[in-house]
Amino acid sequence: MARARASQDIHQTAEQVRAGDRRALARAITLVESARPSDRPRAEDLLNLLLPDTGRAIRIGISGAPGVGKSTFIEAFGAYVTGEGHRLAVLAIDPSSRRSGGSILGDKTRMESLARNPGAFIRPSPAGTTLGGVARRTREAMLVTEAAGFDVVLVETVGVGQSETAVADMVDVFVLLISPGGGDELQGIKRGVMELADIVIVTKADGVLKEAAVRAAADYAHALHMMRPKYSGSAPQVLQVSSVEGRGLAEAWSAIQSLRETFVSSGELSTLRATQLRRWFWSEVHEALLEEVQSSTAARSEAERLEAAAGSGEALPSAAAREFLARFRGS
Ligand SMILES: Nc1nc2c(ncn2[C@@H]2O[C@H](COP(=O)(O)OP(=O)(O)O)[C@@H](O)[C@H]2O)c(=O)[nH]1
Ligand SMILES: [Mg+2]
């Protein structure tokens, strides 16, 4: 249905995206990222046209504390993977990027050679007020890059708030980067994030940090062994990488690939992706409702009044919320 309705220019953009035209790709992503409600129908027409050409890429999430070496890793790993003949798209989830000036964008200097690599495509995080809004646009940007022939998609998160969960919810393999700091570091990483990891990579395994990296890898392997495995009954692999020296990159790529192959043959990948799509549906419902409520001026003053009543202890928060919704529906 959507296909018949889509306008000529959208058909043309879809054609160009499929042909790998970079300018069309950038334009298409701008359209799906647009926050203007009037752009939505065209964005959805475009996505519907591209959908048959999506879903075959290896989707990889990369997370880790600031300074752990994500950008340096992505640059080195990207060079390796494209050198193997793959085409790599790098996207980011960073709900704070409007304030902080962007993760990947600021990092483009560190990803200088990848940014010039014809086999790679780097897209900074879209600015967004809510994590849900940013996550939606990143998911859809991912679909567009897949239709453009990128067979490996990396989604980076800067580790703000719930963004790791959002990334884990859109990728096949979630990779957690940690620095060679040993026990202290181990405590710094939230257990919830550790539980999302399919593969753990200890970065900076070179020079004076090499010994520490070996110890950190052993510590993490031990800690992960004690946790309930996410898939297939085995604890996540812990690898050591030096992005600067280029060591461990081949091992990282082969670990990611073989894990994904395991997920495919066990059927876990299709189950995972179906679960992700269902969660995406609910998060869209959630976002849309919130948008509707927040964009209504009448509702805003009502919300402020009831929020204040809840804050002062004058009203029970749950009762205030129910009253608000009843009034919102009645308005
Ligand atoms: N020795 C060494 N330093 C590294 C390595 N990877 C990153 N770094 C350094 O760690 C710092 C933070 O790296 P960056 O990639 O910006 O981390 P991000 O904040 O996670 O993106 C930089 O000074 C890098 O040069 C590595 O493999 N070896
Ligand atoms: Mg970075």
Side-chain angles (χ1 to χ4, degrees):
M1 269 192 312
R3 232 158 279 191
R5 210 183 52 212
S7 66
Q8 200 49 49
D9 72 309
I10 290 297
H11 274 281
Q12 199 183 351
T13 303
E15 225 23 78
Q16 292 165 333
V17 166
R18 263 192 232 103
D21 178 335
R22 279 180 177 255
R23 280 169 58 198
L25 172 61
R27 226 183 323 119
I29 293 180
T30 302
L31 177 63
V32 302
E33 282 181 351
S34 170
R36 296 212 326 252
S38 59
D39 282 335
R40 258 290 103 184
R42 291 170 66 242
E44 285 170 12
D45 284 348
L46 178 64
L47 288 162
N48 272 318
L49 288 170
L50 296 176
L51 218 49
D53 298 300
T54 66
R56 286 180 290 274
I58 299 194
R59 300 170 176 171
I60 306 166
I62 300 278
S63 180
V68 69
K70 292 182 296 298
S71 305
T72 315
F73 173 76
I74 291 170
E75 165 98 355
F77 183 75
Y80 179 79
V81 169
T82 53
E84 293 286 289
H86 295 280
R87 297 184 67 216
L88 172 80
V90 182
L91 309 170
I93 283 220
D94 178 6
S96 66
S97 71
R98 190 151 50 178
R99 267 176 290 132
S100 67
S103 54
I104 287 191
L105 194 61
D107 272 352
K108 258 197 165 173
T109 42
R110 222 163 257 141
M111 296 195 214
E112 222 172 305
S113 75
L114 198 60
R116 284 193 313 261
N117 185 329
F121 177 80
I122 301 178
R123 184 78 176 188
S125 183
T129 44
T130 65
L131 176 58
V134 176
R136 170 218 270 174
R137 286 175 261 157
T138 304
R139 277 192 178 96
E140 293 184 342
M142 173 159 81
L143 296 175
V144 177
T145 60
E146 288 181 0
F150 291 89
D151 62 329
V152 184
V153 184
L154 258 175
V155 184
E156 179 193 356
T157 168
V158 290
V160 183
Q162 296 299 302
S163 63
E164 290 97 345
T165 315
V167 170
D169 244 348
M170 66 178 78
V171 298
D172 307 331
V173 177
F174 187 82
V175 180
L176 177 64
L177 266 50
I178 56 156
S179 42
D184 297 340
E185 284 289 321
L186 202 97
Q187 287 162 25
I189 290 176
K190 285 174 251 111
R191 191 184 167 88
V193 176
M194 288 265 285
E195 278 170 353
L196 296 173
D198 298 306
I199 291 174
V200 172
I201 291 178
V202 180
T203 57
K204 309 179 191 180
D206 52 51
V208 291
L209 292 170
K210 198 164 180 175
E211 287 293 305
V214 174
R215 278 197 306 274
D219 288 351
Y220 273 88
H222 181 73
L224 287 162
H225 219 78
M226 315 293 280
M227 288 171 35
R228 190 161 40 87
K230 196 169 139 200
Y231 301 108
S232 296
S234 60
Q237 240 184 300
V238 182
L239 304 167
Q240 294 168 51
V241 163
S242 168
S243 306
V244 168
E245 292 181 356
R247 277 185 309 105
L249 298 169
E251 289 78 2
W253 175 233
S254 102
I256 290 168
Q257 273 186 308
S258 69
L259 193 61
R260 186 169 182 284
E261 276 157 27
T262 309
F263 293 166
V264 170
S265 48
S266 68
E268 280 167 298
L269 188 71
S270 49
T271 308
L272 175 72
R273 285 191 170 182
T275 304
Q276 291 175 338
L277 290 169
R278 280 198 295 268
R279 288 209 195 115
W280 183 2
F281 165 76
W282 281 111
S283 107
E284 289 289 331
V285 170
H286 187 98
E287 283 296 310
L289 283 175
L290 218 60
E291 239 164 64
E292 200 180 322
V293 169
Q294 285 167 347
S295 63
S296 144
T297 29
R300 193 172 309 141
S301 59
E302 219 23 36
E304 276 164 15
R305 184 180 70 78
L306 288 157
E307 183 188 20
S312 66
E314 208 179 303
L316 195 63
S318 55
R322 260 187 321 111
E323 182 182 337
F324 169 70
L325 286 174
R327 280 169 186 259
F328 177 71
R329 285 195 205 98
S331 68

